[in-house]
Amino acid sequence: MRNDNSATGSGREALQLLDVAALRAETPGCRKVIHFNNAGCGLMAAPVLDAMVGHLNLEARIGGYEASAARAGEVREFYTEIAALINTTPDNIAFAGSATHAYANALSSIPFEPGDVILTTRDDFVSNQIAFLSLRKRFGVRIVHAPDTPEGGVDVAAMAALMRTHRPRLVSATHVPTNSGLVSPVAEIGRHCRELDLLYLVDACQSVGQFAIDVEEIGCDFLTATCRKFLRGPRGSGFLYVSDRVLRAGYEPLFIDMHGARWSEPGGYEPAGTAARFEEWEFPYATLLGSAAATRYARKVGIEAIERRTPALAARLRERLETVPGVRVLDRGPRLAALVTFEVEGWQPEPFKAAMDARAINSALSFREFAQFDFTDKGVEWCLRLSPHYYNTEEEVDHVAGAVAEILGQGRR
């Protein structure tokens, strides 16, 4: 995929594969707003909502414990669906309350010692960077950032050289950062990690549900994601992938509980043999069932068709925005996702977003504190982020670009 994708190319082909009108009819929110904040939360489809409400009604009728027991088979489908989505087995999947929760559990399983190196990129998710800084404060680890290429995105060759020099305790990469449309070459990084037998953690929060994800191809030991974004699941849901080699090596979260382990004797416990050791006993079962329904829905729509259409809509939006006076599109890199970020001249962030809200266009703000390296390099304090998805239309893309132009024009007047 190149950053010059447009709706006249792969996007049109994907449109022929997708019944967009039917998908929009199954998405109640499409009747209310132009939702270009899928990188924040995707609009839930009716089957997702039905799964959640149906389980809550069952809990109200027969009790929470009893409802989860009655739905045990459907609960297991969460693991089956996620496993099929990313090419692994259900035993390698753990449910999590969020991608950040999953990421923290993965980090907590690594026995860091003073002087250990975490090798990462400059295009990482803000919470991950804060977690690394917290580990540095508590355990004395070192954080090394691989440099970027001139066109944007990590220099994989330079990162591989740093792997050989530092022999890091952990290599970490974010597939698509929250503040940019950049797609990082996580599989290329993974090949070097495998060659050097290094532990590899991938944040796929913004790519799951937008791109086809294959953990075997990526070669990661851990992969984290949320269900609320491009997968279109409910808030408060995510998952952690744990590789077989990590499970065999005995990695486990710092605070393992009665779900993740068995209290085998007064002075000992036995961790679960699967990724369940990274879960807790208490589950939001309605949320989990909604996440299973969202994953099933995405797979039924077709991840390959989604991967062609969604970034193509974003490419069309960038093309339109680049013609608007006072707009600077910020996304850089050889491959771009459906996160479109841009700076606007002469506006403060909250009033500009409020003007978009007034037009029933959902968007998001991103600030320098979310991307200290990237935004410093680009010389911006804030930007607006627009993130279309496959159920959005070309007409909506053009309308949104026109709204941006209108708002800027009114500001100049």
Side-chain angles (χ1 to χ4, degrees):
M1 181 187 307
R2 302 185 308 275
N3 62 7
D4 61 349
N5 277 350
S6 70
T8 59
S10 59
R12 179 174 295 172
E13 295 168 7
L15 179 60
Q16 294 172 349
L17 295 173
L18 300 178
D19 187 342
V20 177
L23 294 169
R24 290 175 66 81
E26 291 183 329
T27 306
C30 287
R31 296 190 285 272
K32 297 290 185 181
V33 295
I34 297 177
H35 189 70
F36 275 33
N37 192 19
N38 292 282
C41 288
L43 289 179
M44 286 193 292
V48 179
L49 185 62
D50 291 345
M52 298 177 68
V53 172
H55 187 73
L56 289 174
N57 285 332
L58 184 63
E59 285 189 348
R61 289 198 306 272
I62 69 172
Y65 283 24
E66 293 75 14
S68 62
R71 293 276 171 81
E74 294 167 65
V75 168
R76 286 193 295 273
E77 289 180 13
F78 169 81
Y79 304 92
T80 303
E81 291 292 339
I82 294 291
L85 184 72
I86 65 171
N87 187 30
T88 188
T89 72
D91 284 349
N92 296 100
I93 300 298
F95 177 82
S98 68
T100 299
H101 178 205
Y103 202 91
N105 263 0
L107 284 179
S108 80
S109 73
I110 304 169
F112 288 107
E113 296 180 358
D116 281 349
V117 169
I118 296 175
L119 175 61
T120 185
T121 73
R122 293 164 56 85
D123 302 295
D124 203 355
F125 180 51
V126 51
S127 292
N128 303 344
Q129 291 288 315
I130 291 172
F132 298 156
L133 292 170
S134 176
L135 288 168
R136 185 175 72 181
K137 181 190 294 185
R138 178 164 296 193
F139 297 113
V141 304
R142 297 171 53 210
I143 308 167
V144 176
H145 293 89
D148 285 343
T149 65
E151 67 177 331
V154 67
D155 184 328
V156 177
M159 193 173 191
L162 290 169
M163 291 181 198
R164 292 188 291 271
T165 299
H166 293 286
R167 300 298 304 188
R169 187 69 181 84
L170 175 69
V171 176
S172 174
T174 293
H175 199 183
V176 178
T178 188
N179 56 281
S180 166
L182 173 74
V183 180
S184 295
V186 290
E188 291 181 45
I189 297 169
R191 282 194 288 274
H192 292 288
C193 289
R194 289 195 299 274
E195 289 170 5
L196 297 170
D197 195 28
L198 298 174
L199 198 66
Y200 185 31
L201 166 59
V202 172
D203 179 335
C205 201
Q206 295 287 7
S207 56
V208 166
Q210 178 180 179
F211 296 128
I213 303 295
D214 185 333
V215 292
E216 292 299 321
E217 179 185 356
I218 293 171
C220 53
D221 295 289
F222 296 104
L223 182 137
T224 62
T226 185
C227 298
R228 76 173 192 269
K229 296 179 184 286
F230 289 95
L231 202 53
R232 302 178 63 193
R235 296 196 70 174
S237 61
F239 66 87
L240 170 66
Y241 158 78
V242 187
S243 70
D244 285 334
R245 80 163 188 158
V246 163
L247 292 172
R248 287 194 300 266
Y251 285 79
E252 61 187 52
L254 179 60
F255 297 109
I256 195 166
D257 80 350
M258 61 185 284
H259 178 83
R262 185 176 70 88
W263 194 15
S264 54
E265 56 183 331
Y269 66 88
E270 296 176 1
T274 69
R277 71 178 67 160
F278 287 87
E279 296 178 331
E280 290 85 34
W281 185 84
E282 180 55 29
F283 273 75
Y285 282 96
T287 301
L288 181 143
L289 291 169
S291 299
T295 309
R296 190 179 306 113
Y297 190 87
R299 294 182 60 233
K300 181 179 178 182
V301 170
I303 293 298
E304 291 76 15
I306 294 170
E307 181 170 333
R308 288 193 292 272
R309 176 167 173 79
T310 295
L313 288 172
R316 181 187 182 107
L317 180 58
R318 286 190 194 93
E319 291 171 2
R320 301 297 188 270
L321 291 173
E322 284 169 352
T323 67
V324 178
V327 165
R328 177 164 71 108
V329 176
L330 301 172
D331 306 306
R332 299 169 60 235
R335 184 186 184 196
L336 297 179
L339 286 75
V340 180
T341 59
F342 60 97
E343 181 184 31
V344 291
E345 184 181 287
W347 280 80
Q348 292 299 309
E350 288 79 10
F352 192 85
K353 185 179 183 306
M356 297 288 282
D357 293 344
R359 290 162 172 78
I361 300 170
N362 290 351
S363 63
L365 294 168
S366 192
F367 297 92
R368 184 184 286 251
E369 67 183 79
F370 299 170
Q372 290 284 357
F373 296 119
D374 186 49
F375 277 21
T376 298
D377 292 343
K378 293 172 179 174
V380 294
E381 294 298 324
W382 69 275
C383 73
L384 195 79
R385 185 187 71 191
L386 297 171
S387 46
H389 207 358
Y390 62 87
Y391 58 82
N392 292 119
T393 66
E394 286 77 5
E395 291 75 19
E396 286 182 320
V397 168
D398 296 344
H399 178 82
V400 168
V404 171
E406 179 187 5
I407 293 167
L408 281 167
Q410 290 176 347
R412 282 192 294 274
R413 288 197 297 272

